Amino acid sequence: MNEGLNFTLGFVVVGVLLIVMTMSSSFISRLPLSAAMLYLAVGVGIGPAGLGLMVLDPIRDAGLLERLTEIAVLISLFTAGLKLELPLNDRRWRIPVQLASVSMVLTVAAVTALGVWGMGLPLGAAVLLGAILAPTDPVLASDVQVSDPADRDRLRFGLTGEGGLNDGTAFPFVMLGLGLLSLHDLGAGGWRWWAVDVLWAITGGVAIGYAMGALTGRAILYLRTHHREALGSDEFMALGLIALAYGLALLCHTYGFLAVFAAGLALRRIGDLPAPAHSKTDDRAAASETPAHMMQAVGRFNAQLERFAEVGVVLVVGSLLWVVAFRTEVLWFIPALFLVIRPLAVYFGLYGTRVGRPQRRLIAWFGIRGIGSIYYLMYAITHQLEPALAGRLLSITLAVVVASVIAHGVSVTPLMKRYETRKGGEKLPSDAPD
């Protein structure tokens, strides 16, 4: 099949997919499956095993795949930050923070142990595998995340915040794994890793992102309310803020993922500011000046971008399945990760928080792996990871992501319906004020 025909058929397939998903979205939401499962199936169909419309080499094309997944994660992290309306001094923030720190470290440590003693991986590769698979995914987990910023549910808030934070807090372990493989400078005794890759990169990324989000949001509101400028450009502002926060964070050698998430959080706080007195009228132009209106516009735009990114990346993942040679070790590793490591890490990570038993069980199960893991793997490959080792990590990572898409996609609708029904019939901690 020639390249021109491939390109044309690709347009047809994507067009049909998007239209069908739009027309059947309400029907699909009632079924025990997720949109990502359908995208994955279409990806397999257009890959080498099917129509051959998308043929990628995960090693040769690692740079392209890294950028594609990077953009998808950035959009989703910013969207996750916009969803979290709780004040930063609210005690419920302990849930995502402890999940993204304590549970993250425990998961990396457990996967490292299995990698070294169960799979025979070098220590650096095992640490790298732990860092790749430890973060939960902010893109594919939208069905269990906060949909309304006013939602105070501990389950949804915890999963949303965890997905936003741990894509950044996993980065130090990625750098540690690369350092142990002699692909990154850890410094004598690891001082550079502790000082730069951990302390500075994390705190600096959060500070830069939050400052950019707060300054940009306040500047736009000032121009609108005092000079009637900067009206009608909320979508460009969202993209600009993502690019600005990410770019500045990288220039300062900090973690851009944390910066973008923090920028979304800061911009969300702008929405809590009181509206100017004259914008309480019925005038449309005046109403568009309000912080709440700006947040609604930005939130809608980013949600749509997130869906587009999900379609593109999951199609790519599906097309890669017939390129990778999967090993039998994934047959025992995936159940160990989903049914042992994640639940234990959540149990210890949530120690001291007011999270009910039903919520803990669901948080433990919905440790969805996805696009973030693919990004970290491609990041490692582009940093000169040995091809044989890259192929093995690719086999494990893709198997985990596909298993997560299927297992969590099948279970999300019935489990969340059951949870919402139970929550409506009794006073769970998710509804109780702190």
Side-chain angles (χ1 to χ4, degrees):
M1 198 178 295
N2 63 62
E3 184 177 347
L5 184 57
N6 279 355
F7 192 70
T8 303
L9 287 177
F11 269 106
V12 173
V13 170
V14 172
V16 170
L17 175 64
L18 294 178
I19 291 174
V20 169
M21 291 302 298
T22 301
M23 296 175 64
S24 59
S25 58
S26 59
F27 172 72
I28 292 174
S29 65
R30 298 192 295 269
L31 299 177
L33 52 85
S34 65
M37 293 174 63
L38 300 179
Y39 303 150
L40 188 67
V42 173
V44 173
I46 65 176
L51 299 175
L53 302 180
M54 184 182 294
V55 181
L56 293 170
D57 184 319
I59 305 298
R60 186 189 64 229
D61 300 318
L64 172 64
L65 296 175
E66 179 189 356
R67 294 308 174 206
L68 176 63
T69 52
E70 184 177 25
I71 292 171
V73 173
L74 288 174
I75 293 170
S76 191
L77 290 176
F78 188 73
T79 304
L82 290 174
K83 292 176 180 178
L84 301 176
E85 192 180 55
L86 280 177
L88 296 180
N89 59 358
D90 192 290
R91 292 184 63 186
R92 275 166 285 198
W93 272 103
R94 287 185 59 187
I95 300 170
V97 170
Q98 290 181 205
L99 287 172
S101 55
V102 179
S103 297
M104 162 71 68
V105 172
L106 292 175
T107 301
V108 173
V111 172
T112 299
L114 283 183
V116 172
W117 290 301
M119 301 180 185
L121 291 172
L123 177 60
V127 172
L128 183 58
L129 180 64
I132 289 170
L133 297 178
T136 55
D137 194 72
V139 183
L140 303 181
S142 58
D143 289 333
V144 294
Q145 291 187 350
V146 171
S147 56
D148 179 1
D151 192 350
R152 297 296 187 265
D153 181 82
R154 280 177 168 79
L155 168 65
R156 294 185 181 276
F157 183 83
L159 289 171
T160 305
E162 180 191 17
L165 286 169
N166 66 13
D167 269 296
T169 55
F171 235 123
F173 297 102
V174 172
M175 306 315 293
L176 177 61
L178 291 175
L180 292 173
L181 292 170
S182 301
L183 300 175
H184 175 68
D185 181 17
L186 299 178
W191 75 267
R192 188 186 185 282
W193 182 75
W194 279 108
V196 178
D197 296 331
V198 179
L199 296 178
W200 164 244
I202 291 177
T203 56
V206 171
I208 290 171
Y210 201 88
M212 290 301 99
L215 290 174
T216 302
R218 288 180 179 273
I220 290 176
L221 284 179
Y222 175 81
L223 290 173
R224 290 185 178 186
T225 56
H226 290 76
H227 302 286
R228 304 301 298 273
E229 298 287 347
L231 295 172
S233 55
D234 298 314
E235 294 81 4
F236 288 103
M237 184 270 292
L239 293 175
L241 181 54
I242 292 172
L244 177 63
Y246 191 61
L248 285 179
L250 295 185
L251 285 175
C252 296
H253 303 287
T254 63
Y255 295 135
F257 283 175
L258 285 176
V260 169
F261 176 68
L265 280 178
L267 195 63
R268 173 74 257 174
R269 300 302 172 276
I270 300 299
D272 298 333
L273 296 177
H278 64 79
S279 63
K280 297 178 181 178
T281 67
D282 294 330
D283 180 71
R284 290 186 179 181
S288 67
E289 300 168 5
T290 65
H293 179 276
M294 184 172 73
M295 287 303 98
Q296 290 174 0
V298 172
R300 285 194 300 268
F301 176 68
N302 269 75
Q304 295 300 321
L305 280 182
E306 187 177 36
R307 291 301 183 190
F308 281 119
E310 178 185 6
V311 173
V313 177
V314 178
L315 286 176
V316 169
V317 171
S319 72
L320 291 177
L321 295 184
W322 293 99
V323 178
V324 178
F326 292 99
R327 302 168 63 99
T328 56
E329 61 195 3
V330 302
L331 296 178
W332 63 263
F333 177 76
I334 292 173
L337 177 64
F338 289 179
L339 303 178
V340 180
I341 295 176
R342 170 68 180 182
L344 288 177
V346 168
Y347 176 82
F348 288 107
L350 291 179
Y351 180 79
T353 62
R354 293 187 58 201
V355 179
R357 185 174 297 176
Q359 296 161 323
R360 286 176 187 258
R361 287 199 294 262
L362 288 175
I363 291 174
W365 172 242
F366 287 119
I368 300 173
R369 267 65 179 180
I371 296 173
S373 295
I374 303 295
Y375 166 77
Y376 281 125
L377 176 60
M378 295 304 154
Y379 179 88
I381 292 175
T382 59
H383 281 71
Q384 309 306 314
L385 190 65
E386 181 185 336
L389 186 56
R392 191 171 179 189
L393 296 185
L394 181 66
S395 166
I396 299 170
T397 303
L398 279 181
V400 169
V401 170
V402 172
S404 182
V405 168
I406 296 173
H408 296 121
V410 168
S411 61
V412 64
T413 299
L415 287 180
M416 292 307 293
K417 282 185 177 179
R418 181 181 177 186
Y419 171 71
E420 295 296 341
T421 300
R422 180 173 182 178
K423 190 175 72 169
E426 58 182 291
K427 191 75 169 180
L428 290 175
S430 58
D431 305 312
D434 283 324

